[in-house]
Amino acid sequence: MTNTLYLPELREMLAENNTAELHEFCTALHPARTAEFMEGLTAEEAWAVLQHADMALRAEIFGFFEEEKQVEIIERTDPAQIAPLIAEMPPDDRVDLLAEIDPEIVEQLMPMIPTAERRDILRLSAYPEGTAGAEMTTEFARLDEQSTVHEAINEVRRKAEELETIYYLYAVDQEDHLRGLISFRQLLTAKPNTKVGELMERDIVTANATDDREDVAEKVERYDLLAIPVVDDEYRLVGIITHDDVIDVVREEAVEDAYRSVAVAPLTAGYLETGIWTLSWKRGIWLAILFVEALFTTFALRMYDWVTAVIPWLILFIPLLISTGGNTGNQSATLVITAMSTGNITLRDWWRVVRRELCLGFMLGSVLGLIGFVTALGVMSAYPAQKEIIASATMVEDSSKTTTVGKETSQDSVANGKTPLADDQVKPNLWSSALVVAATLFLLVPCGTLCGAVLPLVFRRLGLDPALMSNPVVASMIDVMGIVIYMNVAIWMLL
Amino acid sequence: MTNTLYLPELREMLAENNTAELHEFCTALHPARTAEFMEGLTAEEAWAVLQHADMALRAEIFGFFEEEKQVEIIERTDPAQIAPLIAEMPPDDRVDLLAEIDPEIVEQLMPMIPTAERRDILRLSAYPEGTAGAEMTTEFARLDEQSTVHEAINEVRRKAEELETIYYLYAVDQEDHLRGLISFRQLLTAKPNTKVGELMERDIVTANATDDREDVAEKVERYDLLAIPVVDDEYRLVGIITHDDVIDVVREEAVEDAYRSVAVAPLTAGYLETGIWTLSWKRGIWLAILFVEALFTTFALRMYDWVTAVIPWLILFIPLLISTGGNTGNQSATLVITAMSTGNITLRDWWRVVRRELCLGFMLGSVLGLIGFVTALGVMSAYPAQKEIIASATMVEDSSKTTTVGKETSQDSVANGKTPLADDQVKPNLWSSALVVAATLFLLVPCGTLCGAVLPLVFRRLGLDPALMSNPVVASMIDVMGIVIYMNVAIWMLL
């Protein structure tokens, strides 16, 4: 998505050191768009262009570069030049950025950053990733609740340039305890001599600095906030999180959930930017885990190998049945996980969820069972090898000397004349084989919905992330279940 | 998630008609929180409580009710009482809400809504769902670019109560063409007598009313906007979309994507609110489609039934192999779909994506192949039924008279002494069987990554939604591929 439209012109301007035009380029557009036009430039070229913007604008344009480019510029430029830029960046962004930089370079940079900003960086970087503290900015408007509306407006006007948002103002006491909130809209419509304390909201939606950023995003969404104040355990105001950061959180969490749903460990960069080794590790480790999990299907089939030896056509429907079971389970798991993460259901609703999914499972199982019945009739009626496979199965019974318990059972039923081995029994066998497929679906689909719905609930109950029960994990479990149900239905109905 | 804390008190206040306390309840908290406390009330009770808030606050609290409750209240209350509430609601919200109401009731309501608001409703509801036009609100601050900063501030102050946001102001000409944008922050810090036209940004990020709402959300995200102006084809300003609506769009699209990834048709309500019939239809239709798709695995197994008849142990690994292939394909599909929807890759990057996925596929295939080799060695070395199943297979060959082409081939190879039928050949057979599993994984995994990556790209190229290539669809295709590869590898190496 590199915009190459302006690149030749930009390079020409740089070569000619055309200060006027470079300044014009930096100031004419929205900083985000300026950054886009510069995407094709090297780190050195980009830095040279940025010299033609004043420090505030420089930091703004820089903030819209891709993270990769930002890191490159910082790592390749003289720290003395970079330090003022870092000082100018929004507090939350610069902490995130510095975490990506070579620690040695950060060590060189830090002493050159002004004390106030340096302290701020140290304070913010103390919060663990994924918490409200790590997302918040410290540039917000603080007010004394004793000040008047007129004074408050003047105060905001004075600081407007450096604040991330001026539209929510927070009243704090001497020890920084959060006392109230007033929106700029309220200030505007109030009488100039009114005290802020009389106007402000005291029932404020806040986040704790240690809260999960996802829960914070959910609050901002629910209350349609422009920003949410972040407090510490003593209810001291330590920062705010603004709407744009919340959108980023929602987006990032959605991408993470999508990755989790197919068992890819979260990536820190975009798809194309992630190295092939990292990507293969983040995918491979899960594929290996799932492989081990899927191994249980092999053991299950191994347990029932005498059944498939006697009735070889059973294997025709194994992938079909287990994938249908897996699909049903995945639907349930995703519906439940999504409903939990959007707050639509909580653990207390577990019984409603189980009832719903069981009911749905039997409804879907009946319909799919019917479809399966018709399908199996079609497949089996055109199956010419049927007779010979049955014949072969008989011979296994006759020739094999090492009989297991299972084998004995089947031999017993053969002896009892229950298995349809004679030529004239092909027709009833067609119907009963279709019935086996139908009955398996009827039983497997509710097991799938139940399993898919319950596993995430159990994980949440245990305090684990329900999304760990990703689709492939659920599907693999249901695969094993599918084989066991199918084989037992076959034993019961055919042997 | 019903908050039942206040319910008994609220019901008591209603029974006593305690106006003072009910008024206090309505005004004391954030409207969203007031709405939460009222969740357990019936529609009639909730409406009775709302009578104690003035119209503006009433509309605000009402706006935070769940949609179900809103619909219930509107459908059960006298239209003459409801009409002023509708007139007071934010334009975008009321259009969405009216779309959910019984059309007969809407017909009764509409004539009672003041003309200006009624026209606004008709205009907004003309935009198809999912477009910027359907998301936008029409309550925004318009300015004349000739006015001074002082006049602009006064104008905003006068209208602050009724606007959705006062923090971005839009300059338009006589015909409503969008001319520029100024933030309230800029107004605050500017000299009072400056003309708005001199200060405002002219390079504005806009959305067209017919744009997909997802693309609009992406723009707001990229440029960190508080609101985005929506224009028609003549660049006339027709509305704005604010940050809170953008968060909702991002969230809703994420949920939709999650549903799509497991093949559930999008739900219009939450999981618990969706009727069981609707839910079973939205899941069942896809399960049926996937069932038909998975039927190809049955046909594939049917094609190769002579192979599994000769080498019965092959079936032990079928679910394991196809689920591994499916998992790999799903990872690739999700990575590519996510990268496309976040703008990280475009169609032009297709060759990079294909190269990456093939390379990754062979890397992952090698590792999984190795794991598969060891696993198969373990499983097969402890497989006592091997000899007798081989014996049974030989007997099929001997006894069967109806030979197909495939069967002849295998008979030929049996005749050629290539199949390991003799007792003393069990050991080499162990190694070669493990090799079959390993080779299948080595070939299947790259096919999975390639298929998973290419299908969404092809769908995008065809102008279809890449997310239609949902995980189960991709997985089913790879299942068939897995069976074909496995069987051919087995034929080639073992027969």
Side-chain angles (χ1 to χ4, degrees), chain B residues 347-356:
Chain B
L347 273 181
R348 278 179 299 164
D349 298 310
W350 75 271
W351 178 234
R352 276 182 77 187
V353 173
V354 166
R355 235 173 25 200
R356 265 188 100 99

Side-chain angles (χ1 to χ4, degrees), chain A residues 195-307:
Chain A
K195 286 260 179 6
V196 166
E198 291 169 34
L199 290 171
M200 68 189 188
E201 302 264 352
R202 292 179 187 276
D203 174 53
I204 316 170
V205 180
T206 61
N208 191 292
T210 55
D211 283 353
D212 187 305
R213 63 178 197 162
E214 220 174 332
D215 299 334
V216 179
E218 210 247 311
K219 269 189 194 169
V220 173
E221 258 182 280
R222 180 148 36 109
Y223 296 103
D224 288 346
L225 304 175
L226 207 59
I228 190 168
V230 181
V231 294
D232 65 11
D233 289 333
E234 270 91 61
Y235 210 68
R236 279 183 303 233
L237 183 60
V238 289
I240 63 167
I241 299 178
T242 50
H243 61 97
D244 48 325
D245 296 321
V246 170
I247 294 183
D248 292 345
V249 169
V250 173
R251 170 74 70 188
E252 282 167 33
E253 296 285 342
V255 169
E256 247 177 53
D257 287 349
Y259 287 169
R260 271 208 212 99
S261 78
V262 290
V264 176
L267 308 179
T268 47
Y271 169 75
L272 283 182
E273 286 74 39
T274 305
I276 199 138
W277 288 105
T278 316
L279 205 54
S280 66
W281 169 252
K282 295 199 168 191
R283 294 172 61 165
I285 182 68
W286 272 103
L287 286 177
I289 293 172
L290 291 169
F291 186 88
V292 172
E293 205 200 337
L295 205 52
F296 285 95
T297 59
T298 303
F299 298 144
L301 283 172
R302 176 90 169 58
M303 256 177 67
Y304 293 101
D305 57 2
W306 59 275
V307 184

Side-chain angles (χ1 to χ4, degrees), chain A residues 38 51 102 145 153 157 237 275 283 376 489:
Chain A
M38 291 169 69
Q51 301 313 306
D102 181 355
E145 58 180 304
I153 292 181
R157 183 172 284 167
L237 183 60
R283 294 172 61 165
V489 169

Side-chain angles (χ1 to χ4, degrees), chain A residues 36 222 271 274 356-357, chain B residues 36 222 271 274 356-357:
Chain A
E36 253 172 47
R222 180 148 36 109
Y271 169 75
T274 305
R356 265 188 99 98
E357 287 299 319
Chain B
E36 254 171 45
R222 180 147 36 107
Y271 168 75
T274 306
R356 265 188 100 99
E357 288 299 319

Side-chain angles (χ1 to χ4, degrees), chain A residues 8-309:
Chain A
E9 283 89 338
L10 272 176
R11 293 210 162 109
E12 210 182 299
M13 293 182 211
L14 278 175
E16 294 170 359
N17 197 15
N18 189 333
T19 315
E21 279 197 24
L22 283 168
H23 178 75
E24 168 69 18
F25 169 78
C26 288
T27 51
L29 302 166
H30 187 288
R33 229 174 254 193
T34 312
E36 253 172 47
F37 281 122
M38 291 169 69
E39 258 173 35
L41 296 179
T42 65
E44 286 78 9
E45 287 170 337
W47 184 248
V49 172
L50 282 187
Q51 301 313 306
H52 302 271
D54 66 28
M55 191 51 84
L57 181 60
R58 191 182 302 171
E60 241 190 302
I61 300 173
F62 182 83
F64 282 108
F65 286 160
E66 309 235 317
E67 198 181 66
E68 253 191 343
K69 172 76 71 62
Q70 295 178 334
V71 171
E72 216 185 323
I73 292 178
I74 294 183
E75 296 190 343
R76 293 204 192 170
T77 313
D78 176 16
Q81 278 189 280
I82 290 293
L85 179 90
I86 300 281
E88 188 73 31
M89 283 182 74
D92 46 349
D93 295 349
R94 71 183 163 210
V95 171
D96 294 343
L97 182 56
L98 286 174
E100 302 298 318
I101 306 281
D102 181 355
E104 272 182 46
I105 293 178
V106 175
E107 221 170 280
Q108 287 174 37
L109 261 172
M110 285 301 270
M112 301 182 192
I113 295 171
T115 320
E117 280 80 10
R118 192 169 63 237
R119 281 210 191 123
D120 190 81
I121 291 170
L122 293 174
R123 196 165 56 235
L124 283 185
S125 46
Y127 293 103
E129 217 182 313
T131 62
E135 290 292 326
M136 72 191 182
T137 181
T138 46
E139 284 174 352
F140 52 87
R142 263 171 236 257
L143 280 179
D144 179 357
E145 58 180 304
Q146 294 306 318
S147 59
T148 63
V149 167
H150 181 73
E151 287 165 350
I153 292 181
N154 279 338
E155 167 79 5
V156 171
R157 183 172 284 167
R158 222 174 21 247
K159 295 203 179 148
E161 297 260 307
E162 61 194 57
L163 297 176
E164 186 139 338
T165 180
I166 58 163
Y167 304 130
Y168 280 178
L169 301 98
Y170 302 94
V172 290
D173 65 14
Q174 295 292 327
E175 282 86 37
D176 263 354
H177 295 109
L178 181 60
R179 304 272 303 157
L181 158 77
I182 190 162
S183 72
F184 200 84
R185 188 196 292 239
Q186 281 174 286
L187 284 184
L188 259 191
T189 50
K191 291 199 185 72
N193 290 325
T194 326
K195 286 260 179 6
V196 166
E198 291 169 34
L199 290 171
M200 68 189 188
E201 302 264 352
R202 292 179 187 276
D203 174 53
I204 316 170
V205 180
T206 61
N208 191 292
T210 55
D211 283 353
D212 187 305
R213 63 178 197 162
E214 220 174 332
D215 299 334
V216 179
E218 210 247 311
K219 269 189 194 169
V220 173
E221 258 182 280
R222 180 148 36 109
Y223 296 103
D224 288 346
L225 304 175
L226 207 59
I228 190 168
V230 181
V231 294
D232 65 11
D233 289 333
E234 270 91 61
Y235 210 68
R236 279 183 303 233
L237 183 60
V238 289
I240 63 167
I241 299 178
T242 50
H243 61 97
D244 48 325
D245 296 321
V246 170
I247 294 183
D248 292 345
V249 169
V250 173
R251 170 74 70 188
E252 282 167 33
E253 296 285 342
V255 169
E256 247 177 53
D257 287 349
Y259 287 169
R260 271 208 212 99
S261 78
V262 290
V264 176
L267 308 179
T268 47
Y271 169 75
L272 283 182
E273 286 74 39
T274 305
I276 199 138
W277 288 105
T278 316
L279 205 54
S280 66
W281 169 252
K282 295 199 168 191
R283 294 172 61 165
I285 182 68
W286 272 103
L287 286 177
I289 293 172
L290 291 169
F291 186 88
V292 172
E293 205 200 337
L295 205 52
F296 285 95
T297 59
T298 303
F299 298 144
L301 283 172
R302 176 90 169 58
M303 256 177 67
Y304 293 101
D305 57 2
W306 59 275
V307 184
T308 49

